[in-house]
Structure formats: C-alpha cells, structure tokens
Amino acid sequence: MSTKSPALNPQTIYAGIQDHYGSAAAANNSNSNEYGHTVASAVGYTPSELATAPSESNLGLSCGNPFAIANLREGETVVDLGSGAGFDVFQAAKKVGREGRVWGIDMNDDMLSRANAIKQKIKAENTTFVKSKITNVESLEDTMSDCVISNCVVNLVPEGEKQLAFNEMFRLLKPKGRVAMSDILIKKELTDELKNNMALYVGCVAGASTVEGYERYLREAGFEDIMIVGDNSDLNVYNTASVDGTEAGCCGPVSAKTTSCCGGKKTDGGDELLRDLDLNQWAGSFKIFAVKA
C-alpha cells in the first residue's frame, strides 16, 4: 500500500535550505569553477559578464540572468534578494560603479562568509552583505533601491510567506523602481511525491509558483507593467554539466560524495527520484520584470 508523502512545513523547509546551501557554500571542489561557468553560460550569462565575476562566487546556482532585463545604470542602488556567495552582487557592483551601491541579502552564514571573503579579496567597497530572510529585511530602509534583483531564490520561500517577499520588494523600491528576477516556475501541478520531496524543494522546483501565481503576488504587492517570459533553458543542465558525476547544481541530483543545493548526502533515496526526472516537463526558467506604481 502506498502512503502519501508528508507535507513539508516552513520550519522543515528553512532547516533544509540552511543545511544544503550552507554545504554548497562551504564546498571547495576543484571542478566548481568549470561547473559554475558551464551552468551560468547555459542559463544566459554573457562571456563578458562571466569574465568580470569572481569565479569563486559562481557556485552554479543560477537559473537565469536577471541583468538581461535589469538595465542597471551608473550610480544606482541595487538590492539582491538571496545573494548567496555574491555572484550577481559583484557583477551589479561593476555595472553601477563607484557611485552606486549593491546590497546582498542572504540568511545563510556560510554563504555570507564566502561572499564577504570574496569582497575583501577583490576590494568591492560598494557592496554590503546583510543577514536576513528576504521576507523581512529590517535593516534596509523604505524606498532605498532603484532595482531589486533575485536569481532562483523566491521559489524557496514557503508558500504561505511568498507574498511577504513581494511586499518587501515593493517596500524597498523607490517610486518607479523595478524588479528584475530570474526564477523557476512550474508548468503543471506537481504530484504530492514531488511537491513534498525535500531534495526537489531545495532544488528550486517543489516550492515554485505558477506564472499566474507570480502575477498575482506582484499585483497584490502593488506592481504594474508586469512581464513574465520563459527562457527556454534546459533545466537538466545541472546534471549534464557535472564534470565527474559528483556535482550537481540547482535542480539536479547529488551523489553520496557531494552536497549541493538540490539535496545533501544520499540518505533517503530522494536523489534517485531526481536522477530519473526530466525537470523540463514540470518546470522552466523565467525572467520576471515589474515596476513599482
């Protein structure tokens, strides 16, 4: 007799996110630079963008390129929600220049430690990293940002808290400020087995919204001029980009040797489920743009 998979609660979700992304941040795999470069190229980063980003900040966790729609300008203030090791923060810092400012927001200590170490190494003085959930960034003032970016992070927020994340984007933006995001959205309803699989949740799929859901969150927060467009990226790149079968990124399975954003050391068979799953049938990478009314 089959049993229904138990639903994941917010406490379990946040614990899983902390564990898996912390392990990803602390990892020092010799193949990581090649892997991260392959994934980032596949999801839309240009050679020049990759050349200006510190390679150790690229953990292969992106699902798109928010800069393709952000149109960042010199002197602007940018907030990156879910900044990880700073991959997008350091690129944004180059684009806004010395007179600009970029704030990276992340709740994971290991990610923040890695990002700050890179900041010191490259002397990125116009960047600041803040520890916080993206649903309530208390240390940042209202209307302080020209642009909010985010890359494959909002899907990780538990469903009951997602609206808070969009409300926070609206609060942080100046009037007529803009949101430019890349995220995973689902194409069809997930089965209970997939929806309640922790490896698939921290892998950015099980907690993803529909396009209609994203539009609703944005409008409820107060945004207008909403645009949501599919990237047609191959989500299975996180598996195929693996150099030796022991690495996987945002949406791929993991081995017993390595921990990634899509699951930890093999303990419950969840990675076998993911290894046989064609993620493109269930989800896709999308670019999201909206303007504060």
Side-chain angles (χ1 to χ4, degrees), residues 18-53:
Q18 290 281 28
D19 180 28
H20 297 302
Y21 282 87
S23 296
N28 187 23
N29 192 303
S30 60
N31 293 325
S32 60
N33 290 350
E34 181 179 348
Y35 174 78
H37 189 279
T38 300
V39 169
S41 296
V43 300
Y45 286 89
T46 66
S48 61
E49 286 170 333
L50 291 176
T52 62

Side-chain angles (χ1 to χ4, degrees), residues 69 147-149 169 173 177-181 218 223 288-291:
I69 55 173
C147 185
V148 170
I149 62 174
M169 296 175 202
L173 283 169
R178 59 207 185 274
V179 166
M181 304 168 59
L218 286 162
F223 287 101
I288 301 96
F289 182 87
V291 176

Side-chain angles (χ1 to χ4, degrees), residues 175-215:
K176 299 303 178 181
R178 59 207 185 274
V179 166
M181 304 168 59
S182 291
D183 211 357
I184 298 292
L185 300 179
I186 58 171
K187 298 175 180 177
K188 59 182 179 179
E189 184 68 21
L190 300 177
T191 66
D192 284 339
E193 182 182 22
L194 297 178
K195 191 180 296 184
N196 298 315
N197 181 282
M198 177 54 75
L200 196 60
Y201 199 104
V202 298
C204 306
V205 174
S209 305
T210 61
V211 170
E212 293 76 16
Y214 240 71
E215 290 176 341

Side-chain angles (χ1 to χ4, degrees), residues 262-280:
C262 205
K265 291 184 175 66
K266 181 175 159 183
T267 57
D268 60 2
D271 57 327
E272 281 103 337
L273 170 66
L274 300 180
R275 189 171 290 117
D276 297 332
L277 189 68
D278 181 2
L279 290 164
N280 296 312

Side-chain angles (χ1 to χ4, degrees), residues 56-73:
E56 60 266 44
S57 70
N58 183 6
L59 304 181
L61 306 180
S62 302
C63 63
N65 179 3
F67 299 119
I69 55 173
N71 191 29
L72 298 185
R73 296 179 283 270

Side-chain angles (χ1 to χ4, degrees), residues 81 148 154 165-173 179 181 223:
L81 296 180
V148 170
V154 175
F166 290 93
N167 294 348
E168 195 68 347
M169 296 175 202
F170 191 87
R171 180 186 73 81
L172 293 170
L173 283 169
V179 166
M181 304 168 59
F223 287 101

